[in-house]
């Protein structure tokens, strides 16, 4: 199997008092070794839930991976027992979470938390682990790393905590790094530094990176391929050039139109997508974007489009993409 990661028909559900929340709805895609994939979409579209499903971190109950297969280097992660998945999690697949303030344990030093991963996955001694932890903190740009390794998380700034989380994720040289909105809680300058850091480390280490974000500007800079998600579905998938220059789905068009541009005249109003995403407890029968789509037809309301290949690896889930691509594409 050439793909590093291959997902087939993944469905993730949450059982609540209001009903079953259909958070991820039959998504399928592949990632190759060393590839950078951007996963974009507004809040609640299933980006993070699908990543947690890959890591087998969905809390059961109320959560449930209801269907699908997640192949990683030829092994179905959903069939592994807890001991087997623990060996892969943090070692072959690592994840950086979006809130550095709460991702680190406040009662242990930063170095201790990195050393624990090294002892578990690399069989290092305490002394070896501490030396390596200092090297990793230095690698991600923590100044005076040998001393800072004994600091507690509250002694680090938000940007430094996120760098420490990246150091922890990289400690075992993962083949796939999943970064779930890792710059959300940081200011713009630190965001740019973290993005540049991950790009640099990805190139040096040759690992695959999945960057989950609602910020299209970030993925334009770093991603080779992009999945656009909406209501738990992948509604468009292609190269960065495809998504930004040959846009096919009305939702993606709306996302791009809502981005500010330095070329626009002063006072130009941003375009927003009207309406709200569908209720994931009661998904519509047809296209999930129907209620907000300016190109909708009656057929779209009754029939849900599947993801089809429009051209050379550019996929879209829209009944009318061929009719609207000239009018809507930038």
């Amino acid at each position: 199997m050439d793909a590093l990661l291959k997902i087939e028909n993944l469905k993730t559900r949450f059982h609540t008092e209001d009903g079953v929340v259909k958070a991820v709805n039959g998504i399928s895609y592949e990632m190759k070794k060393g590839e950078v994939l951007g996963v974009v979409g507004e809040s609640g579209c299933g980006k993070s839930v699908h990543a947690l499903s890959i890591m087998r971190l969905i809390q059961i109950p109320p959560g449930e991976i209801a269907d699908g297969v997640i192949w990683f280097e030829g092994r179905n992660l959903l069939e592994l027992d807890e001991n087997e998945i623990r060996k892969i999690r943090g070692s072959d697949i690592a994840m950086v979470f979006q809130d550095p303030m709460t991702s680190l344990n406040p009662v242990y030093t930063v170095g201790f938390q990195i050393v624990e991963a090294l002892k578990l996955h690399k069989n290092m001694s305490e002394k070896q682990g501490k030396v390596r932890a200092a090297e990793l903190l230095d690698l991600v740009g923590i100044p005076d790393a040998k001393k800072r390794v004994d600091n507690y998380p509250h002694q680090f700034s938000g940007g430094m905590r996120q760098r420490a989380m990246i150091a922890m994720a990289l400690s075992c040289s993962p083949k796939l790094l999943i970064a779930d909105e890792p710059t959300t809680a940081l200011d713009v300058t630190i965001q740019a530094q973290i993005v540049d850091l991950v790009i640099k480390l990805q190139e040096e280490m040759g690992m695959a990176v999945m960057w989950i974000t609602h910020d299209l500007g970030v993925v334009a800079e770093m991603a080779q391929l992009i999945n656009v998600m909406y209501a738990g579905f992948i509604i468009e998938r292609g190269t960065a050039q495809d998504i930004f220059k040959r846009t096919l789905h009305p939702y993606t068009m709306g996302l791009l139109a809502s981005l500010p541009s330095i070329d626009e005249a002063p006072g130009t109003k941003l375009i927003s997508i009207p309406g709200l995403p569908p209720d994931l407890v009661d998904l519509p029968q047809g296209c999930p974007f129907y209620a907000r789509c300016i190109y909708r037809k009656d057929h779209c309301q009754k029939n849900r489009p599947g993801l089809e290949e429009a051209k050379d690896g550019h996929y879209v889930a829209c009944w009318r993409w061929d009719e609207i691509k000239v009018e809507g594409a930038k």
Side-chain angles (χ1 to χ4, degrees):
M1 188 178 291
D2 294 333
L4 176 70
L5 177 73
K6 183 175 182 179
I7 294 176
E8 299 175 356
N9 196 38
L10 178 65
K11 296 180 181 178
T12 305
R13 306 285 184 253
F14 291 94
H15 299 270
T16 71
E17 292 180 358
D18 296 326
V20 179
V21 177
K22 303 172 184 70
V24 179
N25 296 302
I27 66 172
S28 302
Y29 68 89
E30 293 184 7
M31 276 187 77
K32 295 177 181 176
K33 294 178 180 178
E35 196 168 71
V36 180
L37 170 70
V39 181
V40 301
E42 60 197 298
S43 297
C45 71
K47 306 186 301 292
S48 296
V49 172
H50 115 272
L52 291 171
S53 300
I54 294 169
M55 296 291 288
R56 290 266 305 271
L57 290 173
I58 297 294
Q59 186 174 343
I60 305 172
E64 172 197 14
I65 299 176
D67 197 6
V69 179
I70 302 174
W71 297 105
F72 182 77
E73 294 193 314
R75 302 174 74 190
N76 182 4
L77 299 183
L78 300 183
E79 290 183 347
L80 303 184
D81 63 33
E82 195 56 41
N83 285 331
E84 290 174 315
I85 194 66
R86 197 178 287 125
K87 289 176 184 176
I88 291 175
R89 189 193 298 138
S91 177
D92 292 329
I93 309 176
M95 190 164 179
V96 179
F97 297 92
Q98 59 182 283
D99 188 359
M101 309 301 174
T102 57
S103 297
L104 290 164
N105 191 321
V107 302
Y108 295 110
T109 66
V110 171
F112 175 87
Q113 295 179 63
I114 297 174
V115 171
E116 284 298 285
L118 292 168
K119 285 161 71 175
L120 176 66
H121 295 295
K122 296 295 185 181
N123 295 317
M124 286 190 182
S125 67
E126 186 79 27
K127 186 176 180 180
Q128 290 172 323
K130 197 163 183 179
V131 170
R132 180 59 180 152
E135 291 173 352
L136 288 161
L137 290 178
D138 183 61
L139 179 69
V140 298
I142 300 290
D144 207 6
K146 286 184 180 179
K147 291 183 179 177
R148 302 307 295 264
V149 78
D150 291 320
N151 284 175
Y152 288 87
H154 74 269
Q155 295 173 285
F156 278 34
S157 67
M160 288 172 68
R161 267 181 269 204
Q162 196 59 288
R163 288 171 183 269
M165 285 296 300
I166 293 170
M168 193 180 302
L170 297 178
S171 62
C172 298
S173 303
K175 296 167 185 173
L176 171 61
L177 175 69
I178 300 175
D180 184 10
E181 305 212 34
T183 60
T184 299
L186 308 175
D187 65 57
V188 176
T189 305
I190 304 301
Q191 284 184 23
Q193 291 175 3
I194 295 295
V195 171
D196 290 343
L197 171 64
V198 173
I199 292 172
K200 174 175 170 284
L201 293 173
Q202 186 273 332
E203 290 172 350
E204 288 177 359
M205 300 174 70
M207 63 185 170
V209 174
M210 181 187 298
W211 190 281
I212 299 168
T213 183
H214 57 266
D215 188 340
L216 284 162
V218 171
V219 293
E221 182 181 352
M222 68 187 303
Q224 296 152 347
L225 287 171
I226 298 172
N227 287 345
V228 182
M229 290 191 68
Y230 185 79
F233 298 91
I234 294 175
I235 51 93
E236 189 164 5
R237 172 175 167 81
T239 64
Q241 279 288 101
D242 287 335
I243 299 302
F244 285 92
K245 300 296 183 184
R246 295 180 286 274
T247 321
L248 296 178
H249 198 284
Y251 174 66
T252 313
M253 293 174 188
L255 284 182
L256 294 174
S258 68
L259 290 175
S261 171
I262 59 173
D263 298 326
E264 291 173 349
T268 302
K269 290 186 177 180
L270 291 177
I271 298 170
S272 62
I273 303 173
L276 296 169
D279 182 356
L280 295 180
V281 173
D282 186 22
L283 281 172
Q285 176 184 346
C287 175
F289 191 60
Y290 173 82
R292 307 171 76 184
C293 184
I294 60 174
Y295 300 103
R296 65 189 180 216
K297 296 287 186 181
D298 289 345
H299 178 77
C300 305
Q301 185 177 18
K302 298 169 186 173
N303 302 278
R304 185 174 295 156
L307 200 64
E308 64 172 302
E309 189 170 18
K311 185 180 179 183
D312 299 333
H314 189 177
Y315 295 83
V316 61
C318 175
W319 291 118
R320 303 194 59 223
W321 68 265
D322 201 31
E323 303 168 54
I324 65 179
K325 64 179 178 181
V326 175
E327 182 183 346
K330 291 192 169 186

